[in-house]
C-alpha cells in the first residue's frame, strides 16, 4: 500500500474525535468490579435526567454502560469529590447510542455527571466507591509520567524535523544542481527523519500528499510533487524521460518550502498520550502495509531505511510511554520490549555500513520473516493506547 | 491414552461397539450412552455415509429425485436480467472472459449457447442435451453433474460486455459493432491506491452467477466456461461468500469482513423510482445505444482488506473510520441502523460526530450529488499471501446507470479521502461491463446489440 501519502488523512481533527472513543471503548483491562454493584453500572442520560443503576460501587475497575436516551448529544463524567478533577469521561454519545466508560477508582466520594447538549455543568449526583479490599492501581504519578512522555516525544519530533530540514536542503541543492550521485546518496537517509515522525507529519493533511505522494496514488490530473517524484528521476525506470534542469529546480524548491512549513508548524506542536500510542501503532501499520511489501520505494528500493525509521519512531513513542505501561501493564511492556528487540535483531542482519541492503536483494523468506516480526510486534502495540490512557 | 491402558479392552475391539461397557468401564462417564449409540449406528452404516447423509438432509432439502423447489427459482426472463435487483443470494461465482472467436457469427453462437444453458440451469435443470447422465454412454456428459440433486438455489446468471468486446486496443470495432459502444462504457481511470493485477482486471465478457449454494454457482460458471472453449477463454474469476449488501428490504443487512454492517443505505428492489433514476439505463438514448435501454453497468472491484491491521485497531477508531457503531450499525450521530446520518451534528470541540473522513460521510449520497448505486458485493477469502496474511476482502459489485457520474467520482473521493479506503483497503482487480436488458423466451442475451 502507498503507505505514507495515504496516511495523510488521519487529520488531527479526526484524531480528536477518535481519541475519546478509543479511550472509553477499549475494555481489555476492564475487569468489571465485583463489588457493591457487582458488574457494570447502567447510566441512562436523557435531556433532563441522569439515572444510574447504582450509586455505590466497590473500588477497582468500574464500568459504566452509558446510554443516551435523550435527543441531544451527551457526555458522561466521573468526577472527583471536588467536582473539578475528571476521573473518567466519555464524550460524543449520539442520541440512541451506548458507550462504555471504564475507570479505575479508589475508595472515596465522587460525582457523576451527564451532560446533554455537552454544555454547562451537567446533571450531577453523588457517587460513592467503597473499599473492596484490593487497592486500585491509580497512581497519582501516572499523569506526571504521561506529561513527561508527551514532552519528550514533542522534543523528538522537533529534533527530527530540524534534521529533516537540514537534510532536505542538502539533498535539494545536490539534486537541483545536477549532482545526481550525491542526491542519490542522501535520498534514503534524509527521508528517515520524515519516516520516523510520519504520523505527526501526516497530521498536516496538506503537506503529506505534497511531500510524500507515490505515483500510484495520484488521481487523474493531479500534480505530482515531493520525494517520490525525485526518486523516480534519480533511480529512473526503463523508458523514463528525465526531468529538465528547470523542473528539478522547481521540484527542489517546493520540497524545501514544504519541509520548512512542516518545521514551523511543529514548533508549536502539542500532543496527547493517545496520539503517541496510536502513532506508534500507525507506524507499524505503515511498515506492514507498505514497506514490507516493497511498494514504498518502488524505484530506489530503499524500503529498509523507511522500515527502520518507522520502527524507530514507534519505539521512541513506546519508550517514552514505557514507564506508564510498566506501571499499569507490566506484561505488555515485557512483550513489547522483546518484540521490538526481535525485530531490530532481524533488521540488523541487513545493515550495510550506515544503510541497508536494497529491498530487492532480500529473499522471499527473509521478507516473510520480517513481516512475521512486524505482525508479532503490531499486535501488542495495538494495546498500547488503551494501556496508557485507561 | 492412559485410560485405555488401564482398562482391559480386548485388543481386537475393532469397531467400538459395546466392548467398553462389557469390559467394565466405569459407568460414571455420562456421555457414554449417546456416544455408543452414535457409534453403533455408524458401525452399521459406515461413518462416512452417515456424515454425508446427515449434511445432505440438512443443507440440501431436495433430494436427488426431487423436483427443484419452485420457491428456489428466480425467473431468468424479464424486463431486466436477473441478478441485479433480485434478492442477493449468499454465494457468488463471477467470471470474465476474453473472446477468442473472431467472427460475429461465432460470438452470436456463443451467446445463444450460453443463453440456453443459463435458462436451463436457472430453472434447476441440467445444461445441454442429456444432461449429466442421460446422454451417449460413449461421450462425455454435456452437464458436468455436480449440481445433480441440488435445487436451483435461486441461481441467477447475469451477462455483461466489457469495452474491449466492442473495440480493439487501437480503437477499431470488433465483430462489426461499429457505433454500438455505449459512451458510458469507459475505460475506468486509475484511482489513487489502485494496485490492479492484470490477471484480475478487464475482460470482454462477464458472467455473474449467484446462488444460495456455492456448488450451484460454481456449476453454472464451470458449464458456461466449458461451453465457451474455443470461442472465449476465462480471464479471471472470483468466488464470494456472504453477501455484503441487501437489495431487498426483506433482507437483513449483512456484515463485511471488518465486522461492520455493509450496505445499509443500499438501493432496494422496493424503490422502483430510485432504480429508474440510478440503476436502469433509460430508453431514448443515442441510436447506437438503444440496445442498452433497461440494462445497467456492472462495476466489479476486487478490494483486498488489510484484515490484520484492522484487527489491531481499537473499536473506537474502527467506528470513527466507518462512521457507524459496530453493534447496531447506527450512525455516530445517533439513532438506529436506518436513521439517516446527521452530518451536521457536532460533538466535543465542535468536531463533527461523524468524522469528515469517515466512510459513511464520503460514500453517502449527500456527499455525492445525490448519486446512489445498487451494491451487490460479496466477501472473499482466497487463502493467504506469501507473507502469511489472509488474502481476503470484499468483491465489490455495483450496478449503475452511468459509471461516469456515479462510480468514478465516488471512487475518486473514497480512494483519496476516505480513511477506510486509504488505510485499510487495496484494490487489486477491476472491471466495467455493460449489462444488457433482460430477454424474452426465444431470444438470446445481448440480441439487441446484434440486431
Amino acid at each position: 500500500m502507498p503507505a505514507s501519502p495515504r496516511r495523510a488523512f488521519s487529520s488531527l481533527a479526526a484524531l480528536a474525535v477518535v481519541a475519546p472513543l478509543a479511550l472509553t471503548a477499549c475494555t481489555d483491562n476492564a475487569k468489571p468490579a465485583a463489588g457493591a454493584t457487582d458488574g457494570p453500572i447502567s447510566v441512562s442520560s436523557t435531556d433532563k435526567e441522569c439515572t444510574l443503576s447504582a450509586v455505590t460501587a466497590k473500588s477497582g475497575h468500574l464500568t459504566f454502560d452509558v446510554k443516551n436516551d435523550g435527543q441531544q448529544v451527551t457526555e458522561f463524567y466521573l468526577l472527583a469529590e471536588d467536582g473539578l478533577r475528571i476521573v473518567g469521561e466519555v464524550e460524543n454519545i449520539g442520541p440512541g447510542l451506548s458507550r462504555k466508560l471504564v475507570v479505575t477508582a479508589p475508595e472515596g466520594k465522587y460525582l457523576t455527571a451527564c451532560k446533554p447538549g455537552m454544555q454547562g455543568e451537567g446533571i450531577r449526583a453523588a457517587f460513592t466507591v467503597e473499599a473492596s479490599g484490593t487497592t486500585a492501581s491509580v497512581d497519582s504519578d501516572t499523569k506526571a509520567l504521561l506529561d513527561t512522555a508527551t514532552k519528550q516525544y514533542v522534543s523528538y519530533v522537533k529534533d527530527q524535523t530540524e534534521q529533516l530540514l537540514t537534510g532536505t536542503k542538502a539533498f535539494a541543492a545536490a539534486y537541483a544542481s545536477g549532482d545526481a550521485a550525491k542526491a542519490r546518496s542522501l535520498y534514503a537517509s534524509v527521508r528517515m527523519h520524515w519516516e520516523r515522525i510520519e504520523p505527526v507529519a501526516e497530521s498536516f493533511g496538506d503537506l503529506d500528499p505534497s511531500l510524500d505522494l507515490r505515483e500510484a496514488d495520484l488521481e487523474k490530473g493531479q500534480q505530482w510533487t515531493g520525494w517520490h517524484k525525485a526518486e523516480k528521476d534519480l533511480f529512473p525506470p526503463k523508458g523514463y524521460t528525465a526531468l529538465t534542469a528547470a523542473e528539478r529546480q522547481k521540484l527542489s524548491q517546493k520540497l524545501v518550502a514544504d519541509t520548512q512549513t512542516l518545521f514551523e508548524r511543529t514548533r508549536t506542536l502539542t500532543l496527547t498520550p493517545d496520539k503517541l500510542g496510536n502513532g506508534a501503532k500507525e507506524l507499524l501499520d505503515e511498515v506492514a502495509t507498505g514497506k514490507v511489501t516493497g511498494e514504498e520505494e518502488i524505484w530506489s528500493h530503499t524500503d529498509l531505511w523507511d522500515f527502520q525509521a518507522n520502527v524507530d519512531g514507534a519505539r521512541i513513542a513506546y519508550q517514552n510511554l514505557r514507564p506508564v505501561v510498566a506501571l499499569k501493564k507490566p506484561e505488555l511492556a515485557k512483550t513489547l520490549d522483546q518484540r521490538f528487540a526481535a525485530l531490530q535483531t532481524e533488521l540488523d542482519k541487513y545493515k550495510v555500513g550506515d544503510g541497508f541492503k536494497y529491498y530487492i536483494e532480500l529473499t522471499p523468506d527473509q521478507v516473510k520473516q520480517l513481516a512475521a516480526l512486524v505482525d508479532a510486534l503490531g499486535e501488542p502495540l495495538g494495546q498500547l493506547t488503551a494501556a496508557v490512557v485507561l | 491414552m492412559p485410560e485405555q491402558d488401564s482398562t482391559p479392552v480386548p485388543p481386537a475391539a475393532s469397531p467400538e461397539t459395546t466392548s467398553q461397557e462389557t469390559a467394565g468401564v466405569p459407568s460414571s462417564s455420562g456421555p457414554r450412552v449417546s456416544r455408543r449409540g452414535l457409534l453403533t449406528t455408524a458401525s452399521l452404516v459406515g461413518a462416512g455415509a452417515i456424515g454425508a447423509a446427515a449434511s445432505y438432509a440438512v443443507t440440501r432439502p431436495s433430494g436427488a429425485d426431487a423436483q427443484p423447489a419452485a420457491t428456489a427459482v428466480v425467473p431468468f426472463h424479464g424486463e431486466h436480467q436477473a441478478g441485479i435487483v433480485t434478492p442477493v443470494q449468499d454465494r457468488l461465482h463471477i467470471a470474465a472472459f476474453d473472446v477468442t472467436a473472431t467472427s460475429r457469427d461465432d460470438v452470436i453462437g456463443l451467446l445463444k449457447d450460453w443463453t440456453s444453458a443459463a435458462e436451463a440451469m436457472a430453472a434447476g435443470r441440467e445444461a445441454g442435451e442429456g444432461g449429466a447422465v442421460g446422454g451417449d454412454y460413449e461421450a462425455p456428459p454435456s452437464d458436468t453433474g455436480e449440481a445433480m440433486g441440488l435445487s436451483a438455489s435461486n441461481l441467477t446468471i447475469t451477462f455483461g460486455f466489457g469495452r474491449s468486446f466492442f473495440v480493439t486496443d487501437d480503437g477499431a470495432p470488433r465483430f462489426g459493432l461499429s457505433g454500438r459502444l455505449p459512451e458510458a462504457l469507459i475505460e475506468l481511470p486509475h484511482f489513487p491506491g489502485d494496485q490492479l493485477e492484470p490477471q484480475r482486471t478487464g475482460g470482454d465478457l462477464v458472467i455473474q452467477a449467484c446462488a444460495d449454494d456455492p456448488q450451484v454457482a460454481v456449476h453454472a460458471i464451470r458449464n458456461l466456461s466449458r461451453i465457451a472453449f474455443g470461442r472465449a477463454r476465462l480471464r479471471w474469476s472470483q468466488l464470494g461468500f456472504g453477501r455484503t449488501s441487501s437489495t431487498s428490504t426483506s433482507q437483513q443487512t449483512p456484515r463485511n469482513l471488518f465486522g461492520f454492517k455493509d450496505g445499509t443505505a443500499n438501493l432496494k428492489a422496493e424503490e422502483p423510482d430510485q432504480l429508474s433514476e440510478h440503476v436502469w439505463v433509460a430508453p431514448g438514448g443515442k441510436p447506437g445505444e438503444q440496445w442498452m435501454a433497461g440494462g445497467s453497468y456492472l462495476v466489479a472491484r476486487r478490494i483486498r482488506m488489510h484484515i490484520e491491521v484492522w484487527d489491531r485497531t481499537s473499536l473506537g477508531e474502527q467506528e470513527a473510520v466507518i462512521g457507524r457503531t459496530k453493534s447496531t450499525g447506527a450512525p455516530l450521530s445517533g439513532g438506529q441502523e436506518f436513521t439517516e446520518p446527521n452530518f451536521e451534528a457536532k460533538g466535543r470541540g465542535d468536531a463533527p460526530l461523524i468524522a469528515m473522513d469517515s466512510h459513511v460521510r464520503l460514500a453517502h449520497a449527500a456527499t455525492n450529488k445525490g448519486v446512489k448505486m445498487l451494491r451487490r458485493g460479496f466477501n472473499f477469502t482466497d487463502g493467504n499471501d506469501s507473507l502469511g496474511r489472509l488474502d481476503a476482502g470484499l468483491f465489490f459489485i455495483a450496478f449503475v446507470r452511468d459509471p461516469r457520474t456515479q462510480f468514478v467520482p465516488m471512487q475518486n473521493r473514497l480512494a483519496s479521502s476516505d480513511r477506510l479506503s486509504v488505510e485499510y483497503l487495496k484494490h487489486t482487480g477491476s472491471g466495467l461491463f455493460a449489462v444488457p436488458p433482460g430477454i424474452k423466451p426465444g431470444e438470446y442475451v445481448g440480441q439487441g446489440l446484434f440486431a
Side-chain angles (χ1 to χ4, degrees):
Chain A
M1 185 184 90
S4 47
R6 317 190 69 201
R7 273 274 163 195
F9 307 97
S10 45
S11 65
L12 282 175
L15 284 174
V17 178
V18 173
L21 299 180
L23 195 148
T24 52
C26 301
T27 57
D28 44 285
N29 62 356
K31 294 177 189 73
T37 58
D38 207 23
I41 300 158
S42 346
V43 180
S44 165
S45 170
T46 67
D47 294 343
K48 297 230 158 63
E49 282 175 25
C50 185
T51 316
L52 277 75
S53 65
V55 292
T56 50
K58 294 221 165 156
S59 62
H61 292 301
L62 308 184
T63 303
F64 296 91
D65 282 329
V66 186
K67 170 103 194 280
N68 183 355
D69 291 315
Q71 303 295 316
Q72 302 167 277
V73 181
T74 195
E75 300 175 334
F76 177 76
Y77 290 84
L78 183 67
L79 301 159
E81 195 181 7
D82 61 10
L84 296 173
R85 189 168 68 82
I86 297 166
V87 181
E89 64 183 320
V90 53
E91 298 174 330
N92 293 327
I93 314 171
L97 302 191
S98 298
R99 290 269 176 256
K100 250 188 202 13
L101 169 65
V102 183
V103 291
T104 312
E107 180 187 358
K109 289 190 183 306
Y110 295 83
L111 292 171
T112 53
C114 294
K115 212 184 268 191
M118 313 187 97
Q119 301 289 329
E121 283 223 316
I123 306 159
R124 297 187 172 205
F127 189 84
T128 309
V129 176
E130 298 166 353
S132 63
T134 55
T135 322
S137 63
V138 159
D139 195 318
S140 55
D141 292 341
T142 305
K143 196 179 175 306
L145 290 174
L146 286 173
D147 285 348
T148 309
T150 51
K151 244 183 246 164
Q152 284 172 345
Y153 198 73
V154 166
S155 308
Y156 175 71
V157 171
K158 286 184 179 172
D159 177 53
Q160 288 299 316
T161 41
E162 210 165 273
Q163 296 193 51
L164 176 67
L165 184 59
T166 312
T168 305
K169 283 177 179 164
F171 170 83
Y175 177 59
S177 73
D179 189 348
K182 188 172 181 199
R184 270 195 291 271
S185 76
L186 289 172
Y187 175 81
S189 57
V190 172
R191 276 182 54 78
M192 284 184 85
H193 300 298
W194 164 268
E195 293 282 339
R196 286 193 183 112
I197 55 160
E198 225 174 344
V200 175
E202 288 169 355
S203 64
F204 306 111
D206 53 335
L207 286 180
D208 181 65
S210 155
L211 277 167
D212 202 30
L213 198 65
R214 290 185 32 209
E215 191 176 31
D217 296 323
L218 283 175
E219 233 170 282
K220 212 180 168 185
Q222 189 181 1
Q223 222 212 331
W224 189 27
T225 60
W227 283 101
H228 291 298
K229 184 167 181 167
E231 181 204 357
K232 189 176 186 180
D233 199 43
L234 288 167
F235 307 86
K238 266 196 194 124
Y240 171 80
T241 315
L243 299 183
T244 64
E247 284 169 330
R248 281 183 192 150
Q249 189 78 34
K250 204 176 146 202
L251 183 61
S252 305
Q253 279 167 2
K254 177 130 177 72
L255 200 59
V256 172
D258 285 341
T259 311
Q260 181 75 40
T261 310
L262 173 69
F263 173 82
E264 277 152 23
R265 287 192 197 167
T266 49
R267 294 312 93 181
T268 53
L269 186 69
T270 53
L271 288 174
T272 46
D274 57 291
K275 286 193 184 115
L276 267 64
N278 287 335
K281 181 217 166 251
E282 283 176 20
L283 279 163
L284 255 283
D285 289 351
E286 293 278 328
V287 177
T289 54
K291 273 73 174 190
V292 88
T293 55
E295 291 167 29
E296 174 82 4
E297 305 288 356
I298 197 161
W299 297 292
S300 68
H301 305 299
T302 54
D303 301 84
L304 279 182
W305 279 258
D306 298 7
F307 193 135
Q308 176 69 61
N310 283 166
V311 173
D312 287 345
R315 196 191 58 244
I316 300 290
Y318 161 63
Q319 282 174 342
N320 290 336
L321 290 170
R322 197 184 179 287
V324 187
V325 186
L327 200 68
K328 291 180 142 190
K329 278 202 154 184
E331 280 305 311
L332 180 63
K334 214 170 118 190
T335 306
L336 285 170
D337 289 346
Q338 283 166 355
R339 299 206 176 162
F340 267 116
L343 179 57
Q344 191 56 56
T345 305
E346 188 68 17
L347 269 173
D348 288 346
K349 290 185 190 167
Y350 308 110
K351 278 206 167 135
V352 179
D354 289 342
F356 291 89
K357 280 191 167 184
Y358 294 111
Y359 212 71
I360 41 170
E361 296 177 280
L362 268 51
T363 67
D365 276 349
Q366 289 171 331
V367 171
K368 202 170 171 179
Q369 177 61 14
L370 281 169
L373 291 166
V374 167
D375 286 338
L377 172 59
E379 198 61 38
L381 206 56
Q383 312 290 330
L384 182 61
T385 306
V388 296
V389 300
L390 267 184
Chain B
M1 298 203 285
E3 196 189 329
Q4 282 201 348
D5 289 347
S6 62
T7 315
V9 178
S14 41
E16 301 173 25
T17 52
T18 56
S19 57
Q20 292 194 336
E21 216 164 66
T22 52
V25 171
S27 60
S28 62
S29 42
R32 173 105 340 142
V33 176
S34 62
R35 179 162 168 266
R36 187 170 66 86
L38 178 75
L39 290 168
T40 310
T41 322
S43 68
L44 289 173
V45 185
I50 192 173
S55 68
Y56 195 85
V58 172
T59 61
R60 287 155 190 175
S62 57
D65 303 321
Q67 288 303 308
T71 51
V73 173
V74 180
F76 181 78
H77 300 104
E79 189 187 349
H80 310 293
Q81 286 197 59
I84 303 176
V85 295
T86 44
V88 188
Q89 304 88 327
D90 286 323
R91 308 293 179 141
L92 165 81
H93 193 182
I94 187 170
F97 295 81
D98 287 329
V99 176
T100 51
T102 48
S103 84
R104 182 179 168 107
D105 285 349
D106 281 353
V107 171
I108 292 172
L110 172 64
L111 292 170
K112 284 181 173 169
D113 291 350
W114 270 358
T115 302
S116 58
E119 282 166 348
M121 291 188 289
R125 300 195 308 271
E126 293 173 335
E129 278 203 16
V133 293
D136 189 336
Y137 205 60
E138 303 302 327
S142 58
D143 183 285
T144 53
E146 74 272 28
M148 273 195 290
L150 307 183
S151 83
S153 301
N154 289 314
L155 173 70
T156 57
I157 303 172
T158 316
F159 296 88
F161 300 98
R163 184 181 169 87
S164 54
F165 182 80
F166 298 84
V167 284
T168 63
D169 288 346
D170 331 328
R174 292 177 86 184
F175 311 120
L177 292 173
S178 181
R180 288 304 182 95
L181 171 70
E183 280 186 359
L185 191 58
I186 52 169
E187 195 85 61
L188 286 178
H190 170 87
F191 296 106
D194 273 6
Q195 304 242 339
L196 303 182
E197 297 165 18
Q199 73 277 15
R200 299 189 193 277
T201 299
D204 296 339
L205 292 163
V206 75
I207 304 175
Q208 173 199 264
C210 300
D212 293 331
D213 185 325
Q215 181 115 339
V216 170
V218 170
H219 172 260
I221 292 298
R222 178 177 170 193
N223 280 274
L224 294 172
S225 62
R226 183 182 173 198
I227 289 168
F229 276 122
R231 293 180 285 184
R233 184 175 52 214
L234 202 54
R235 181 181 175 92
W236 56 259
S237 67
Q238 180 73 49
L239 284 174
F241 63 90
R243 62 187 170 87
T244 59
S245 61
S246 303
T247 54
S248 166
T249 53
S250 64
Q251 294 178 302
Q252 247 199 358
T253 313
R255 290 181 188 269
N256 59 28
L257 292 185
F258 283 152
F260 276 77
K261 292 195 172 190
D262 204 332
T264 290
N266 200 26
L267 287 174
K268 304 283 195 308
E270 291 81 359
E271 305 168 307
D273 293 347
Q274 295 264 310
L275 296 177
S276 297
E277 188 181 342
H278 300 290
V279 178
W280 306 126
V281 176
K286 296 192 171 166
E289 300 188 13
Q290 293 292 347
W291 66 275
M292 269 299 285
S296 188
Y297 291 90
L298 183 161
V299 185
R301 305 281 291 179
R302 186 178 185 273
I303 307 176
R304 171 101 185 259
M305 290 172 161
H306 295 301
I307 302 253
E308 290 81 3
V309 174
W310 178 261
D311 292 345
R312 283 172 213 148
T313 301
S314 72
L315 178 61
E317 174 142 359
Q318 289 184 4
E319 291 196 345
V321 161
I322 301 288
R324 293 182 178 275
T325 66
K326 198 167 189 174
S327 55
T328 64
L332 292 184
S333 53
Q336 311 297 318
E337 183 194 344
F338 293 101
T339 308
E340 266 302 299
N342 176 1
F343 295 117
E344 304 302 315
K346 297 274 173 46
R348 180 70 13 195
D350 262 354
L353 285 178
I354 299 176
M356 298 309 287
D357 54 5
S358 65
H359 187 69
V360 68
R361 181 185 291 267
L362 291 163
H364 197 272
T367 319
N368 293 283
K369 298 182 179 161
V371 155
K372 294 182 181 181
M373 304 189 279
L374 180 97
R375 292 189 39 198
R376 234 177 180 275
F378 288 82
N379 298 321
F380 73 84
T381 306
D382 291 347
N384 54 271
D385 64 16
S386 61
L387 299 178
R389 294 164 181 174
L390 284 176
D391 183 2
L394 171 70
F395 197 84
F396 173 98
I397 295 175
F399 288 91
V400 295
R401 181 178 173 173
D402 190 338
R404 294 168 298 179
T405 53
Q406 292 170 285
F407 178 73
V408 171
M410 189 186 292
Q411 182 54 26
N412 261 323
R413 183 167 296 114
L414 291 177
S416 61
S417 312
D418 168 33
R419 207 138 60 90
L420 180 73
S421 303
V422 169
E423 295 185 19
Y424 300 102
L425 306 178
K426 177 161 97 176
H427 289 230
T428 57
S430 179
L432 176 65
F433 302 92
V435 174
I439 55 165
K440 297 190 193 78
E443 296 178 342
Y444 66 91
V445 169
Q447 186 164 333
L449 174 58
F450 293 93

